Amino acid sequence: MKVKWSASTIFYGTVRTAKEFATILVDIDSKLVSIQKVVDNGTDIGAVFDRATQSAETFGQSISKALDAYIEFARQGYKGAELGTLADAGLVASNVGEISSQSASEYLTASLVQWKKETSEAMGIIDSWNNVSNNYATTVEKLAQGQSRAGATAKAMGLDFDQLNAIIGTVTASTKQSGSEIGNFVKNVLPRLISDPAQDALKMVNVSLTDKQGNLRDIVQVYTDVANKVKELNDTERISVMEGLAG
């Protein structure tokens, strides 16, 4: 793969030996080859490398990590300007979430696909994760994990992205469980809230699924009430409630 390598070492720090420099070149070349395998024929890989270099410099990441983001989005079929925009968003998510650029890109892709969002909305997703993590005792990674597990189900049940974020943020903060665990929990619970075991679990914490007129309450508020109530329970009671809500 023939590209200009001179700028690449800037983002790796000082290269002390020829062997270290060679390792860097092999790593970058390998990732460019991976991108070339999934993009359209005729794509200018040199231009992709130049764009990745700009991304790395802008967001304080190594070119290797920037290319990880490009690889993930290229695998999903994104190309051209969209590829660069999403890779930038992946690097921002990596920075604010303190997670790898590859993981950040995977989570972002999952949310874009499940919620059928446009490329231009990628930064809005990250802003939402960051805002919720700043207001709850949770993390961007937990929110992203939860969204990747429960997004499609939540959308089908009539919730929007921010409502699911609020649920995941509230419950992860209350239970200290991982985002994946809470995402799976929400994914299983949403369709089962009307089951007898779920109703019994809600009664255990004195939370009702319906209002005084018998209308279905806002699901977000139901989850918020449950999350606040389980703080008062011991571990055994908390597990019992969670299992009951899971049907």
Side-chain angles (χ1 to χ4, degrees), residues 13-160:
T14 303
V15 178
R16 300 178 194 62
T17 67
K19 182 178 180 180
E20 183 179 355
F21 182 67
T23 300
I24 291 171
L25 298 189
V26 170
D27 174 63
I28 293 177
D29 188 68
S30 174
K31 290 178 178 179
L32 289 172
V33 169
S34 294
I35 293 174
Q36 190 169 42
K37 289 179 179 178
V38 294
V39 296
D40 294 338
N41 290 333
T43 297
D44 186 346
I45 299 300
V48 173
F49 174 78
D50 289 341
R51 180 67 172 77
T53 300
Q54 294 174 8
S55 298
E57 183 176 15
T58 299
F59 300 107
Q61 295 272 14
S62 69
I63 292 180
S64 179
K65 291 179 180 178
L67 288 173
D68 284 337
Y70 276 77
I71 290 170
E72 180 59 31
F73 289 115
R75 284 174 178 161
Q76 302 303 321
Y78 294 105
K79 54 189 176 182
E82 282 191 328
L83 181 58
T85 298
L86 289 175
D88 286 351
L91 293 175
V92 172
S94 174
N95 285 340
V96 300
E98 298 182 348
I99 52 180
S100 72
S101 58
Q102 181 177 354
S103 293
S105 300
E106 289 172 354
Y107 293 140
L108 190 54
T109 297
S111 286
L112 287 168
V113 172
Q114 292 188 63
W115 290 99
K116 301 186 186 307
K117 289 181 175 289
E118 300 295 328
T119 301
S120 59
E121 298 177 272
M123 287 304 299
I125 291 175
I126 299 167
D127 286 342
S128 182
W129 287 340
N130 195 37
N131 288 336
V132 172
S133 70
N134 288 336
N135 290 308
Y136 295 85
T138 190
T139 66
V140 167
E141 183 171 23
K142 286 184 177 182
L143 293 166
Q145 288 174 340
Q147 285 280 358
S148 70
R149 300 299 178 94
T153 299
K155 188 175 189 300
M157 293 293 292
L159 274 68
D160 63 30

